[in-house]
Amino acid sequence: MTNDAIVNDVINPITALAFTRDQSGNIRLLLAGEGPYLKVYDDGNGCRIAVERVFETQAIHSIVIIDASNKTDGVTELLIWGGRWVRLGYLRHGLAHGPLRVEIQFKPVSTLDDWVLGGYLMPRSSLSDEHSSTCSNTHDAIVLTAHNVAYAVLHDRDQQASLKPVAAGPDSLLYSAHVEFEQDGRILVVSGTVLGEILLWSFPASAVRADVVVPSSSQLLQTFTGHEGSVFGIRISPDLSNYAFGGVRRLVASCSDDRTIRLWDISDLRTSKNPCGVELQSSEDLTSSADKPQTSTPSTGCVALIMGHASRIWDIRFLKSDHETAVISFGEDSTTQVWQLTRYQSCLHICQPNPRLLSHKHAYAYHSGKSIWASALVRRQDGSETVCTGGADGRIVQYDVIDQPGSTGKHAISSQCTMQDIALQLAESQQSCGDNSRPLGPIISKSLCEHVFDALGGTWTINREIKSALPTSPSGQFSGAARFDRRPPTALAFEKEYLYIEDGKFITDQSLNFPATRRYVYRYQQASDSITAWFVKPDDNTAVDYLFHGIRLDDGNKLNNHGSLPASRVIKASSYHLCGKDQYTPTYILQLTEGHLEQWKLVYGVKGPQKDYTAEASYHRKSRIDDLKPTAECSAIPRSQKPNEPTALDHLIKKDNLRSYVFLTDDSFLVTTARGRVLVGTLLPSASITPRYEQATIKTTVKWRLVGQYETLKSSSIITRANGSDLILLGGNDGTMSSYDRSVDRILPMRHLKAKLAFLYALKLPGDHPEIQVHVVLAVSLGIPAAYVYKFSDNDHHGNDDTRQPTMLSLPAYFIVTSSCYLPELRIWVLGSRNGVIAFYDDSMCHHVSMLEPCSIFTDIHGQEAITVIQSVPYHNGDQPSHVLTAGRDGHYAVHEIVVKSTSALSEATVVILNTVHRSTPTFGPNIEGAAFDNQRQELIIWGFRSKEFVVWNATKDMETMSVDCGGAHRNWCYRPRKDGSNGGTFVWTKASICHVHSQIEASHQVLSSGGHGREIKATATTPILMKNKEGEIQYIPTGAEDTTIRIWSFNEQRDESGSTFRCLGTFGKHTTGIQQLRWSADGSLLFSAAGCEEFFVWRVQPVPFLGVGAVCEAICPQVTDNGDLRVMDFAVTEIARHPGEDQNLTERGYIVTIVYSDSSLRVFRYPSPHSGRSFLLLRTGTYTTHCLTAASYLGPDTSNILCTASSDGHIAFWPMADSLRHISAKRPHVSSTAAVHQNSIKSLVTIPLDPAGLDCLIITGGDDGALGMTRCMLSNVSTRPVTSTLLIPKAHAAAINAVEYLLGTPSKESSQTHVFVSSGNDQRIKTWIVQVTAHDTPSNLTEGASVRLHSNQHTSVADVSSLSAITTAKGVGVVVAGIGMECLADLTSEILSSLGTLHPHGSTL
């Protein structure tokens, strides 16, 4: 036999993890055990930097280290064990030149007679001075076996390994153990038994390095009982004296098959003198159960317990913290759970002096499938606690553990703001700047009218004298205070606005005294350069009601030539107002000094049937300090506020709440409120704002700014951002469409539609002049069955020119628009509706008709659910945009190819053909609400809701990047992914009238190894031809597993950043049970998959822009029984030529599919049916014996002639099929002959043609008996009964042979042929065989002259191998091994090719 083939890559369950530090104490490396391999990852960038094989056949179970921190030699010492094997070694790493490099060296493997469950690497200080000096170049270890015996693993300077039993605990069969070194010189051991007991015992460390066997004692300290199942994980806590309750200093944590987590108090056992131990006189005594320590009195001793996880709990660890005690558990449900230990207030449930309660804090679900097998915790120098987990899916995930209530991790910012918090912050901001003004862009010269308006702002003392000519109206004196409080305009037509508030006392000439108040709103309009005064609504002292009067400056009031005011002047302004039958003539006299207004007068003359009086008011400005008080709309509660008196703050937050959100940048967003206010919130990444007012109780990291208040945005508003630009559009309740201009921080009107706006979409159009932005906008009004399309440039964004007529798109009946997209290159509009309908419009026809009708309509794209996403798929330069992404609330997202065709040669009308090329379902569903393409990383990001959580999903990597508990989808929210390729993003939402913000600068976790399936892989196959992909021409390698998903991989000998040669191109699923078999069509366009419950699907697989590869299930074979409870064991597929009577112009290929079921039946289908498109036509049904059919394959190139099946009785059977493969027939298929090959079930079957005509072939079978069968089968042109002869290789494997695969061979036209195939099974051996056969003219002994020899035999790290698949590489032909994990042996045949000459892969054109 030859040397083993090189293992190019493995994706196996992760079974061990450990962090290492450098000499400075920084975390540098992560060590991972994956099968027998030790993989080393750079903790900084997550790249894999080294791989070392530790054991030949055994998987690594645990890694224990003494890292290089505070060591002069920079060496990390390693203790690694798996099964019965133990190995010591060391690791050096450095950054002398270039990237991080490591050096790993191991000492010889030590083998025990029992499985190792725990271990400890002895520090130098733990040895006596004598042994420490004599053995300075060695490191020793303690390991504990499954029978509770402790062994010392010693390696001396000559590298000779020795094992010495040093102590034994109570005679028990263990499932878990933890070993620690105590400062008093003892080794402390806690072990969990298969019967649920916990044993705590110790022995002296001096026993490790004794030159001769000396008397040593093992002391049983405590026995704990209470678990109702095997103890799977156990851990001793560090010293908890600083923050534990009631004097508890030390704990043991355990987890069990009973799904409980328990904590046990061992504080008083560290110095215990429990006499239950006995002296062990010799090494032989350590393995004798008669002299082992006797069991002490069992103690319940449990101080806390809780039931957690959905299934078994495998391991548990203590979470290091400065302020609390917590444990972290890892379960079969692939989740990590954090539990906090708190003081329990009642002793009713736990009868202990200091009862505790474990409460759930957080859950992390970053793995798929079943089981987290490995974990490592480390505390970084910044105080954060990082956990790394490895699962059965082969994925390695690293993330920060949240150990503080309300914390979101070091890479996330979280904030909460009530309307009261926002109002108080705005008031504080105004106090700091003196008024509500702020920079609005370039300084523009003011008119005189605007100067006067600005000068009115502030606080004034007022004295008014009223003289009435009628006795019915009192005369008297009013005195008090008046304020002009600046606030954002409440109408789009005005640029500035005051709320005028006047409070004081009125004393009549008859000495009557009563309080008096009045309010107006003063507005300034720049277009007309005018000031107007307005009444306020009686029921709302802040809202504008109707016009009172305008203020007209007298002629002659002019600015100087240079546009400024003179040093001092008196300005007069007058007006007129008719209120019913009463005439008001107000006159304003204003004294301006150096541009400031210090005093002024307002004189009213009132004439009418019931009124005749004059009112002359004098205003004098109060101290400038008074002007710094908050405005009425944004003020703090005055300190002297009466208990029941309404405040200005109450007016701001009364009946107001946050409505619509849109992001301006990654760190700022715009939000509208129910009362028409527009706010801008800006995230502060490194500091938080703590309001100084007692009313603001929630700490926030958002800084707020008020843009304005607008009537058109009250009660209802929508808001959106243009794709590809910073344009923000707002839609109002009266049909007004506005935009937010960031340069001047204002809302500007654009267009006015007929009714309330219900939907807005905008897109920046590509152009030759980047400095000029042109946008196309689609708007839909409520109740109008049409959509309006406008086109704006930079010059007319903010105009109000309604002379341009919009393009109208006619909406189908009951079509409520929920999403839209414009494809400018194709000039196609795509609209999605609430009921799952998509409509296409040809925009090139807009100049010919006034109303565009849909050119194509498609229903049931996403069932009857709303379509929430329609986006153009990015394309490479030179390519034409032809694909769109859609997603909906049915939980699916899909990619469609758009084909635009003319309806006829003489018509300009077009029709759109929509071909779905990819369809997938993320795990979070069903509400997909948004999507984005990350062009930097070439990844698709989608987001939506899972129950009460908002989830962001990386569809390309098949991983969750953000999860936020927001209460569910029925709320106002907005999400923006970051554009820097970090997988971060910001989510803002309203819950219980509180604005919540969660922002991540990167994904919630780091994936160091992507892994693969979370359950056993049952099937794999490679495309028979090379497929075109964005990476070039590659072979697709699909795998199907018990997790019901199908993954498509590629193999690239150039490793990626994680060091892997496997690249997952896509994951898709529709099956509901574990997948059993996969097959390709001859051209590689169709993938057939089979599973339990009679599931048989046809997938069309093809390249898709941006995503790489797409798959869509185009057909489902109907169930053959009423219950659908049969398992599809295997199937055979062959392509057939079209019948002369059929339409030869059809592009669909035809296939004959024969499916064998678990009830010994087979059914022959034709796909697609010639009568009903992409459906199955059942042709025939047959039955074997009572034995189950296990495999099926067609023989020869004309593969529709003879079907060969294998069964659980060890026979292969031949079924003639050629007479009825095109038409339905009641004639049942029959077995023409059988051949006994194996003693029991046949597990695998592959055929090798030996004759171009298909009359001679070799059938390779692997059996449950471990034998390998080679059956030669010769057919006749005149007979359907083949002649067979079998050559059996018994004990080819030590266990069942589950998979055989043909690799390459001599072309079938040669008379003397050589063929190579590979086999594998439960013995985890990969064996390559060479068989040589000679063509026969006579059907006597067909195996005469045939020879077979074993070429190579090597171990595979994949357990329970179920499938093999050949791949073509640069060096030759390799094989992908699949089972519990997957492995690639890229070169199995180069040595064969060098010795035998040219051989060709069978059945392909590679």
Side-chain angles (χ1 to χ4, degrees):
M1 291 185 295
T2 62
N3 296 327
D4 292 348
I6 297 176
V7 178
N8 287 71
D9 204 0
V10 295
I11 300 177
N12 283 332
I14 307 300
T15 51
L17 291 168
F19 285 101
T20 71
R21 299 179 186 268
D22 59 16
Q23 292 171 275
S24 302
N26 298 314
I27 304 298
R28 295 308 304 269
L29 302 175
L30 176 72
L31 310 181
E34 188 172 351
Y37 301 98
L38 178 68
K39 295 185 176 182
V40 183
Y41 295 87
D42 186 340
D43 180 72
N45 55 28
C47 294
R48 193 179 80 190
I49 57 177
V51 179
E52 190 76 20
R53 189 161 191 158
V54 179
F55 301 116
E56 185 64 27
T57 60
Q58 175 61 46
I60 296 172
H61 287 168
S62 188
I63 304 171
V64 176
I65 68 165
I66 297 178
D67 58 39
S69 57
N70 301 319
K71 294 173 64 176
T72 58
D73 57 2
V75 172
T76 296
E77 301 180 23
L78 307 175
L79 166 63
I80 301 176
W81 71 81
R84 299 185 296 113
W85 290 269
V86 179
R87 201 164 190 185
L88 295 172
Y90 68 85
L91 178 148
R92 285 191 177 94
H93 54 79
L95 271 172
H97 301 284
L100 181 63
R101 299 181 182 275
V102 298
E103 175 191 355
I104 306 174
Q105 290 190 8
F106 285 105
K107 296 184 178 180
V109 176
S110 300
T111 305
L112 289 86
D113 296 330
D114 199 359
W115 270 48
V116 178
L117 297 181
Y120 185 78
L121 201 55
M122 300 292 290
R124 298 282 181 259
S125 59
S126 65
L127 301 176
S128 64
D129 294 339
E130 176 185 356
H131 294 121
S132 179
S133 61
T134 59
C135 306
S136 59
N137 293 330
T138 68
H139 48 201
D140 305 329
I142 292 291
V143 294
L144 190 74
T145 65
H147 284 84
N148 218 11
V149 178
Y151 284 82
V153 185
L154 309 175
H155 285 80
D156 294 325
R157 293 175 177 175
D158 58 0
Q159 298 296 309
Q160 295 300 315
S162 62
L163 295 171
K164 183 179 73 169
V166 294
D171 186 15
S172 297
L173 186 60
L174 308 184
Y175 217 122
S176 57
H178 185 209
V179 182
E180 282 287 344
F181 174 75
E182 297 293 283
Q183 295 300 320
D184 59 2
R186 291 187 301 168
I187 302 295
L188 189 63
V189 180
V190 62
S191 50
T193 73
V194 296
L195 299 179
E197 289 183 318
I198 295 174
L199 308 174
L200 181 68
W201 58 283
S202 67
F203 63 92
S206 58
V208 175
R209 266 288 171 179
D211 293 331
V212 296
V213 177
V214 297
S216 63
S217 63
S218 301
Q219 191 176 41
L220 178 62
L221 304 176
Q222 189 61 274
T223 300
F224 297 114
T225 60
H227 279 298
E228 298 177 0
S230 299
V231 179
F232 292 141
I234 198 160
R235 190 72 54 171
I236 302 172
S237 76
D239 187 5
L240 306 176
S241 302
N242 293 335
Y243 44 87
F245 296 109
V248 175
R249 302 186 307 274
R250 202 77 179 272
L251 292 171
V252 166
S254 60
C255 57
S256 169
D257 195 16
D258 61 8
R259 292 175 51 208
T260 64
I261 297 169
R262 298 173 186 253
L263 298 183
W264 318 84
D265 185 5
I266 61 170
S267 301
D268 58 346
L269 299 178
R270 299 185 63 190
T271 57
S272 173
K273 301 300 183 182
N274 194 330
C276 61
V278 298
E279 297 294 326
L280 301 177
Q281 303 298 331
S282 65
S283 61
E284 287 79 7
D285 291 336
L286 298 175
T287 57
S288 173
S289 62
D291 292 329
K292 290 181 180 178
Q294 304 301 311
T295 304
S296 67
T297 303
S299 169
T300 55
C302 181
V303 298
L305 67 91
I306 195 169
M307 178 170 284
H309 292 269
S311 53
R312 292 174 290 184
I313 307 172
W314 295 129
D315 198 9
I316 192 164
R317 289 176 178 266
F318 280 93
L319 186 61
K320 301 174 184 177
S321 175
D322 292 333
H323 52 82
E324 65 178 5
T325 302
V327 293
I328 184 167
S329 58
F330 312 91
E332 189 181 26
D333 58 1
S334 293
T335 66
T336 300
Q337 310 277 349
V338 180
W339 314 87
Q340 182 179 1
L341 179 65
T342 57
R343 183 66 179 267
Y344 197 54
Q345 300 299 323
S346 173
C347 297
L348 295 178
H349 301 291
I350 306 175
C351 298
Q352 294 293 319
N354 296 296
R356 307 291 189 276
L357 176 67
L358 278 172
S359 59
H360 186 264
K361 287 190 58 181
H362 210 280
Y364 304 90
Y366 298 140
H367 293 272
S368 61
K370 288 180 64 176
S371 296
I372 293 177
W373 291 124
S375 62
L377 271 74
V378 68
R379 192 166 199 184
R380 301 186 182 274
Q381 291 185 340
D382 62 1
S384 62
E385 191 79 19
T386 298
V387 63
C388 185
T389 54
D393 57 358
R395 177 171 289 185
I396 302 176
V397 181
Q398 182 175 299
Y399 47 94
D400 290 338
V401 178
I402 299 173
D403 62 345
Q404 302 238 8
S407 173
T408 56
K410 67 178 181 180
H411 299 299
I413 299 172
S414 184
S415 175
Q416 298 178 4
C417 301
T418 65
M419 284 299 298
Q420 187 179 39
D421 295 320
I422 297 172
L424 291 172
Q425 190 187 129
L426 294 174
E428 181 181 357
S429 175
Q430 183 187 354
Q431 283 184 319
S432 65
C433 62
D435 58 24
N436 202 35
S437 63
R438 56 186 179 276
L440 298 178
I443 298 176
I444 303 174
S445 178
K446 296 180 182 179
S447 68
L448 175 63
C449 187
E450 188 174 1
H451 270 292
V452 170
F453 185 86
D454 290 342
L456 288 172
T459 306
W460 307 83
T461 58
I462 177 175
N463 290 284
R464 180 181 291 116
E465 181 180 5
I466 300 177
K467 296 180 179 181
S468 176
L470 301 177
T472 56
S473 297
S475 300
Q477 297 285 331
F478 170 85
S479 61
R483 299 200 314 270
F484 284 85
D485 288 342
R486 179 71 66 86
R487 68 180 189 182
T490 56
L492 295 174
F494 301 93
E495 283 71 32
K496 297 181 181 182
E497 187 170 300
Y498 288 122
L499 176 64
Y500 174 82
I501 304 174
E502 176 183 295
D503 291 295
K505 293 182 180 180
F506 179 63
I507 302 175
T508 66
D509 290 345
Q510 293 77 25
S511 300
L512 296 178
N513 186 335
F514 52 87
T517 183
R518 66 175 62 181
R519 294 190 177 205
Y520 302 108
V521 171
Y522 282 80
R523 288 170 163 175
Y524 172 74
Q525 187 178 54
Q526 195 173 44
S528 60
D529 192 28
S530 63
I531 302 173
T532 51
W534 301 71
F535 290 106
V536 297
K537 294 182 178 180
D539 58 344
D540 187 343
N541 289 329
T542 62
V544 178
D545 196 355
Y546 59 92
L547 180 68
F548 182 14
H549 62 264
I551 300 175
R552 184 176 60 254
L553 298 183
D554 292 346
D555 294 338
N557 293 320
K558 305 290 185 181
L559 294 176
N560 292 337
N561 294 333
H562 53 275
S564 63
L565 287 170
S568 178
R569 67 178 302 170
V570 175
I571 298 175
K572 293 184 178 181
S574 58
S575 184
Y576 174 81
H577 172 67
L578 179 64
C579 183
K581 296 182 180 180
D582 300 325
Q583 301 178 22
Y584 288 78
T585 55
T587 302
Y588 294 79
I589 304 172
L590 303 102
Q591 177 68 49
L592 284 176
T593 304
E594 300 293 339
H596 298 291
L597 184 63
E598 299 296 334
Q599 59 183 1
W600 58 284
K601 289 185 177 182
L602 173 58
V603 180
Y604 275 103
V606 183
K607 293 286 186 179
Q610 304 296 327
K611 296 180 181 180
D612 187 0
Y613 68 88
T614 59
E616 182 175 335
S618 298
Y619 293 81
H620 296 268
R621 186 176 293 282
K622 298 183 69 176
S623 171
R624 282 288 174 181
I625 298 179
D626 295 329
D627 291 342
L628 301 182
K629 292 182 179 179
T631 63
E633 279 281 294
C634 308
S635 63
I637 299 177
R639 298 182 184 274
S640 60
Q641 187 68 49
K642 296 180 180 180
N644 298 322
E645 184 178 349
T647 65
L649 178 61
D650 293 329
H651 291 297
L652 177 65
I653 64 177
K654 178 183 177 183
K655 298 181 181 179
D656 206 2
N657 53 73
L658 302 172
R659 286 295 178 90
S660 301
Y661 297 92
V662 70
F663 277 92
L664 304 175
T665 66
D666 287 341
D667 302 316
S668 63
F669 55 90
L670 197 74
V671 58
T672 61
T673 72
R675 298 190 66 185
R677 293 181 175 87
V678 179
L679 303 166
V680 173
T682 302
L683 256 63
L684 303 180
S686 58
S688 62
I689 301 172
T690 306
R692 295 177 297 200
Y693 305 100
E694 295 179 357
Q695 295 86 352
T697 58
I698 302 177
K699 193 173 182 179
T700 178
T701 55
V702 179
K703 184 177 180 180
W704 294 94
R705 185 177 78 251
L706 184 62
V707 176
Q709 185 175 7
Y710 307 94
E711 291 288 336
T712 183
L713 300 178
K714 280 189 176 182
S715 71
S716 176
S717 62
I718 59 174
I719 187 168
T720 190
R721 179 190 177 98
N723 291 343
S725 76
D726 295 332
L727 175 65
I728 304 296
L729 295 179
L730 300 93
N733 52 33
D734 61 351
T736 300
M737 181 170 62
S738 311
S739 68
Y740 171 65
D741 191 331
R742 294 180 61 188
S743 63
V744 295
D745 198 23
R746 285 172 50 196
I747 305 298
L748 304 174
M750 295 180 67
R751 290 291 187 272
H752 187 81
L753 280 70
K754 296 181 180 180
K756 170 184 173 181
L757 285 169
F759 181 83
L760 278 174
Y761 167 84
L763 172 72
K764 176 188 172 183
L765 296 177
D768 297 331
H769 303 285
E771 66 278 2
I772 300 177
Q773 293 188 358
V774 179
H775 290 84
V776 61
V777 177
L778 181 139
V780 179
S781 290
L782 197 64
I784 298 177
Y788 300 84
V789 177
Y790 298 91
K791 184 179 287 187
F792 299 103
S793 66
D794 286 339
N795 298 329
D796 55 7
H797 268 182
H798 312 311
N800 201 18
D801 180 15
D802 287 329
T803 59
R804 290 188 181 182
Q805 294 299 319
T807 301
M808 303 289 290
L809 308 182
S810 176
L811 300 179
Y814 309 107
F815 194 98
I816 299 175
V817 180
T818 56
S819 55
S820 67
C821 177
Y822 183 65
L823 307 176
E825 293 84 358
L826 301 177
R827 298 199 65 180
I828 293 292
W829 277 101
V830 191
L831 273 61
S833 74
R834 184 179 294 177
N835 58 358
V837 177
I838 292 182
F840 288 83
Y841 298 83
D842 184 3
D843 188 44
S844 64
M845 301 296 294
C846 64
H847 300 295
H848 304 284
V849 294
S850 58
M851 178 80 73
L852 289 179
E853 297 292 334
C855 60
S856 296
I857 296 178
F858 299 91
T859 60
D860 297 328
I861 295 297
H862 290 276
Q864 301 297 319
E865 300 296 333
I867 297 175
T868 55
V869 176
I870 303 178
Q871 287 191 27
S872 174
V873 177
Y875 56 93
H876 297 290
N877 292 333
D879 296 339
Q880 286 294 322
S882 58
H883 292 78
V884 293
L885 171 77
T886 65
R889 296 194 177 124
D890 62 343
H892 300 285
Y893 69 92
V895 178
H896 315 272
E897 180 186 20
I898 296 178
V899 180
V900 181
K901 293 185 177 181
S902 299
T903 56
S904 65
L906 301 178
S907 173
E908 295 184 4
T910 59
V911 62
V912 172
I913 300 174
L914 194 66
N915 298 321
T916 302
V917 296
H918 181 65
R919 187 176 179 87
S920 187
T921 306
T923 59
F924 69 83
N927 293 333
I928 300 177
E929 301 291 342
F933 293 97
D934 187 337
N935 292 309
Q936 183 169 340
R937 292 199 175 199
Q938 291 289 295
E939 294 172 354
L940 170 62
I941 310 297
I942 59 178
W943 55 86
F945 292 89
R946 174 181 59 209
S947 185
K948 294 183 178 181
E949 292 182 314
F950 175 79
V951 178
V952 181
W953 186 265
N954 187 317
T956 304
K957 291 186 175 180
D958 194 32
M959 59 174 274
E960 178 184 302
T961 61
M962 179 189 289
S963 175
V964 181
D965 186 354
C966 65
H970 301 290
R971 61 199 65 256
N972 299 316
W973 61 275
C974 189
Y975 175 73
R976 176 184 171 100
R978 299 184 73 89
K979 305 296 185 182
D980 55 4
S982 63
N983 272 322
T986 303
F987 176 54
V988 56
W989 74 100
T990 303
K991 180 180 180 182
S993 300
I994 297 176
C995 174
H996 298 254
V997 181
H998 178 91
S999 180
Q1000 293 180 185
I1001 61 174
E1002 60 184 29
S1004 57
H1005 58 285
Q1006 180 186 14
V1007 178
L1008 282 75
S1009 176
S1010 299
H1013 291 280
R1015 297 287 300 276
E1016 304 90 329
I1017 300 174
K1018 290 296 187 180
T1020 182
T1022 52
T1023 47
I1025 61 174
L1026 290 175
M1027 309 299 292
K1028 290 184 179 180
N1029 185 272
K1030 62 181 180 180
E1031 299 178 358
E1033 291 188 335
I1034 59 173
Q1035 276 185 287
Y1036 292 157
I1037 309 171
T1039 54
E1042 287 287 349
D1043 62 4
T1044 74
T1045 65
I1046 298 174
R1047 290 175 177 259
I1048 294 185
W1049 306 80
S1050 68
F1051 175 79
N1052 192 325
E1053 297 182 67
Q1054 299 296 322
R1055 301 183 183 274
D1056 60 15
E1057 61 182 11
S1058 66
S1060 177
T1061 55
F1062 283 120
R1063 287 170 174 79
C1064 185
L1065 304 179
T1067 302
F1068 50 94
K1070 190 178 180 67
H1071 287 282
T1072 60
T1073 59
I1075 295 168
Q1076 298 299 307
Q1077 192 58 269
L1078 298 171
R1079 296 272 194 275
W1080 284 103
S1081 63
D1083 63 350
S1085 63
L1086 296 182
L1087 178 65
F1088 302 87
S1089 63
C1093 296
E1094 303 175 16
E1095 293 180 346
F1096 186 86
F1097 298 161
V1098 182
W1099 306 84
R1100 186 165 295 276
V1101 181
Q1102 54 194 308
V1104 174
F1106 199 89
L1107 298 181
V1109 63
V1112 59
C1113 182
E1114 71 174 29
I1116 299 176
C1117 184
Q1119 292 182 351
V1120 298
T1121 64
D1122 294 336
N1123 298 327
D1125 56 358
L1126 297 180
R1127 179 186 291 260
V1128 176
M1129 304 300 296
D1130 197 9
F1131 61 92
V1133 178
T1134 181
E1135 185 176 342
I1136 59 172
R1138 298 203 174 275
H1139 191 272
E1142 297 177 351
D1143 187 356
Q1144 299 298 314
N1145 294 322
L1146 294 176
T1147 58
E1148 291 282 358
R1149 297 173 181 263
Y1151 300 91
I1152 296 297
V1153 181
T1154 301
I1155 304 175
V1156 296
Y1157 296 90
S1158 55
D1159 65 347
S1160 300
S1161 66
L1162 63 81
R1163 287 165 177 81
V1164 182
F1165 297 89
R1166 179 167 178 178
Y1167 177 81
S1169 171
H1171 310 298
S1172 55
R1174 292 179 177 176
S1175 62
F1176 286 83
L1177 176 66
L1178 178 61
L1179 301 177
R1180 304 184 68 183
T1181 301
T1183 303
Y1184 188 59
T1185 66
T1186 57
H1187 295 278
C1188 180
L1189 295 173
T1190 58
S1193 177
Y1194 283 106
L1195 302 182
D1198 188 6
T1199 53
S1200 61
N1201 291 331
I1202 298 291
L1203 176 73
C1204 177
T1205 60
S1207 60
S1208 58
D1209 61 359
H1211 288 65
I1212 56 175
F1214 302 94
W1215 307 66
M1217 291 289 181
D1219 58 342
S1220 59
L1221 291 184
R1222 299 188 180 278
H1223 306 287
I1224 300 175
S1225 174
K1227 183 179 179 181
R1228 300 176 68 85
H1230 67 280
V1231 176
S1232 62
S1233 65
T1234 62
V1237 181
H1238 294 272
Q1239 295 179 5
N1240 43 31
S1241 180
I1242 297 176
K1243 308 281 287 189
S1244 53
L1245 180 149
V1246 68
T1247 61
I1248 303 173
L1250 303 177
D1251 177 16
L1255 301 178
D1256 191 2
C1257 66
L1258 190 64
I1259 303 171
I1260 311 296
T1261 54
D1264 207 12
D1265 55 2
L1268 193 65
M1270 286 171 284
T1271 302
R1272 190 161 183 184
C1273 173
M1274 294 193 69
L1275 304 174
S1276 171
N1277 290 324
V1278 296
S1279 174
T1280 60
R1281 184 181 180 90
V1283 179
T1284 61
S1285 179
T1286 299
L1287 175 64
L1288 190 68
I1289 305 176
K1291 299 181 180 180
H1293 283 263
I1297 301 176
N1298 298 327
V1300 292
E1301 175 71 348
Y1302 179 53
L1303 298 182
L1304 74 170
T1306 307
S1308 57
K1309 63 182 179 180
E1310 302 291 337
S1311 59
S1312 179
Q1313 300 181 22
T1314 301
H1315 297 278
V1316 183
F1317 65 93
V1318 63
S1319 63
S1320 187
N1322 292 338
D1323 60 354
Q1324 291 188 243
R1325 306 300 300 182
I1326 301 293
K1327 296 188 177 183
T1328 307
W1329 307 85
I1330 299 177
V1331 58
Q1332 293 179 319
V1333 294
T1334 304
H1336 284 265
D1337 297 327
T1338 60
S1340 54
N1341 188 355
L1342 301 180
T1343 57
E1344 285 184 358
S1347 64
V1348 60
R1349 66 182 176 90
L1350 180 62
H1351 174 70
S1352 64
N1353 179 7
Q1354 70 181 89
H1355 176 267
T1356 176
S1357 62
V1358 178
D1360 295 342
V1361 175
S1362 61
S1363 181
L1364 300 170
S1365 185
I1367 60 170
T1368 300
T1369 65
K1371 296 180 180 180
V1373 179
V1375 67
V1376 174
V1377 185
I1380 301 179
M1382 56 191 297
E1383 182 177 79
C1384 179
L1385 305 175
D1387 180 20
L1388 285 174
T1389 61
S1390 60
E1391 187 175 338
I1392 300 174
L1393 292 173
S1394 64
S1395 60
L1396 298 180
T1398 303
L1399 301 177
H1400 300 283
H1402 171 59
S1404 73
T1405 58
L1406 296 175

